[in-house]
Amino acid sequence: MATTKKTTKVETPIDERETFVSLRKSFAETEQDTMEKLKTLYQLQAADNEIEKLFQLRGELPEEVKSLEDEVEAIESKCEHIKNLIEGYKQTIEMAKADIVNIDETTAKYRSQLENIANSREYDSINKEIENQILLHRIAEKRINESGIAIEERMADLDRLGERLENRKEDLAAKREELDGIVDATANQEAELVARRDTFATKLDQRTLSAYERIKNSTHNHLAVVSLYPDNGDGTYGEACGGCFHTIAPQRLIEVASGKKLVICEHCGRIIVNPEA
């Protein structure tokens, strides 16, 4: 008895470099499928456009907040570095003071030995050691003085940075409050738009959605799906791509108007649709 062997469909891996042009053959099997997919893409782009408008309301505030956050972090890091330097200078002073105590004790021992000198050679040798100890004492005192001066200089730097830090923190708090006010005012509208966008996105296959996202994110105006330009406002449109503004060939204009075919701008790779369709 013959057995039938089941065949499994092999899914083509999604290519992150894929464009609408490379999807043309597999875009849709029928005109109805094409029309439905174009409609979904147009609605997805419209939702993204509305979300983009909300972000534009925030203006330069997000970048300003990020810049101030980075500056505050940099100043705090520099302050921490200076504090560590000061701590190092303090340790140097303590070590030098301890050295002086040991040097003075050693010097006192050598001086006491001078009272019981047997010959001139021993006298000269002990005096040489005392001179060395005096030199070491002076070096330790110099380290203490230099470290003290360095601490004063670093403390002055710390005061200047502390004042600058407070100013930047005040600026940051003000910018955050302003940004949070705008975000809170548009939070509900943004949530609705994101939910609508997600609804349209789930209707598309992953390859088409991936191509849409790639083209949208690579263009300066974040448009992957456009209409003809200009929009005359009365249901009629011009003869140029709404993304790059290059003129479209007459035959392609007919295809766009029908709304039944995938029409891609040969200059910028965007999909051109007829909103009235």
Side-chain angles (χ1 to χ4, degrees):
M1 182 177 178
T3 58
T4 57
K5 190 175 181 179
K6 293 184 178 180
T7 59
T8 57
K9 183 178 180 182
V10 178
E11 294 291 338
T12 305
I14 296 175
D15 186 349
E16 293 183 356
R17 298 167 299 177
E18 198 160 43
T19 65
F20 290 134
V21 175
S22 59
L23 285 174
R24 195 192 301 270
K25 291 183 179 179
S26 60
F27 189 75
E29 296 180 356
T30 65
E31 284 187 352
Q32 186 61 37
D33 291 337
T34 299
M35 292 176 66
E36 190 62 34
K37 189 173 286 189
L38 288 175
K39 178 181 178 181
T40 301
L41 281 167
Y42 179 75
Q43 292 171 322
L44 176 61
Q45 181 69 75
D48 279 338
N49 291 347
E50 291 301 315
I51 294 174
E52 184 78 14
K53 289 179 182 178
L54 289 185
F55 289 159
Q56 288 174 355
L57 288 176
R58 302 170 188 177
E60 301 295 327
L61 282 174
E63 289 77 10
E64 291 176 359
V65 168
K66 180 64 169 60
S67 178
L68 285 169
E69 288 174 341
D70 291 343
E71 187 175 358
V72 166
E73 183 179 350
I75 295 174
E76 289 177 336
S77 177
K78 195 167 185 178
C79 287
E80 189 63 28
H81 175 66
I82 291 176
K83 289 177 182 178
N84 290 335
L85 288 177
I86 292 174
E87 187 60 32
Y89 290 132
K90 288 181 178 179
Q91 291 177 5
T92 297
I93 291 174
E94 292 303 315
M95 291 173 62
K97 286 181 178 180
D99 289 343
I100 287 175
V101 172
N102 292 331
I103 290 168
D104 288 346
E105 291 177 353
T106 302
T107 302
K109 289 179 182 179
Y110 282 131
R111 291 187 186 281
S112 65
Q113 290 177 13
L114 288 175
E115 299 175 359
N116 301 306
I117 297 301
N119 52 61
S120 61
R121 171 184 274 182
E122 187 176 357
Y123 179 85
D124 291 341
S125 176
I126 292 175
N127 267 330
K128 186 65 175 177
E129 291 298 335
I130 291 174
E131 289 175 1
N132 289 337
Q133 294 302 312
I134 292 174
L135 179 59
L136 291 174
H137 189 285
R138 289 173 179 170
I139 292 173
E141 285 184 335
K142 183 179 180 182
R143 286 163 53 200
I144 290 173
N145 291 333
E146 289 177 345
S147 296
I149 293 172
I151 288 175
E152 291 178 0
E153 291 175 347
R154 297 292 85 75
M155 289 295 293
D157 292 340
L158 203 57
D159 289 341
R160 286 192 293 269
L161 283 173
E163 183 177 351
R164 182 180 172 188
L165 180 61
E166 288 304 313
N167 291 335
R168 289 297 177 268
K169 282 185 174 180
E170 290 177 3
D171 293 340
L172 176 58
K175 291 295 182 181
R176 277 179 174 167
E177 184 178 359
E178 186 178 355
L179 178 59
D180 290 343
I182 296 175
V183 172
D184 291 342
T186 58
N188 292 337
Q189 185 180 0
E190 182 178 346
E192 292 175 0
L193 286 171
V194 170
R196 188 196 308 172
R197 182 202 189 278
D198 291 343
T199 298
F200 297 137
T202 55
K203 293 180 180 181
L204 297 170
D205 61 273
Q206 286 301 311
R207 291 186 66 194
T208 302
L209 184 60
S210 176
Y212 168 83
E213 295 287 0
R214 193 195 70 78
I215 295 175
K216 180 174 72 72
N217 294 331
S218 65
T219 58
H220 70 282
N221 54 12
H222 297 166
L223 295 176
V225 181
V226 297
S227 59
L228 290 170
Y229 178 85
D231 180 352
N232 298 318
D234 57 0
T236 62
Y237 297 84
E239 300 179 352
C241 169
C244 66
F245 309 117
H246 279 87
T247 302
I248 306 301
Q251 179 58 37
R252 308 288 278 169
L253 292 174
I254 295 173
E255 293 175 350
V256 170
S258 72
K260 298 178 180 179
K261 287 189 176 182
L262 174 64
V263 180
I264 301 169
C265 177
E266 61 183 14
H267 299 284
C268 66
R270 294 177 173 92
I271 288 181
I272 305 174
V273 298
N274 176 14
E276 302 303 321

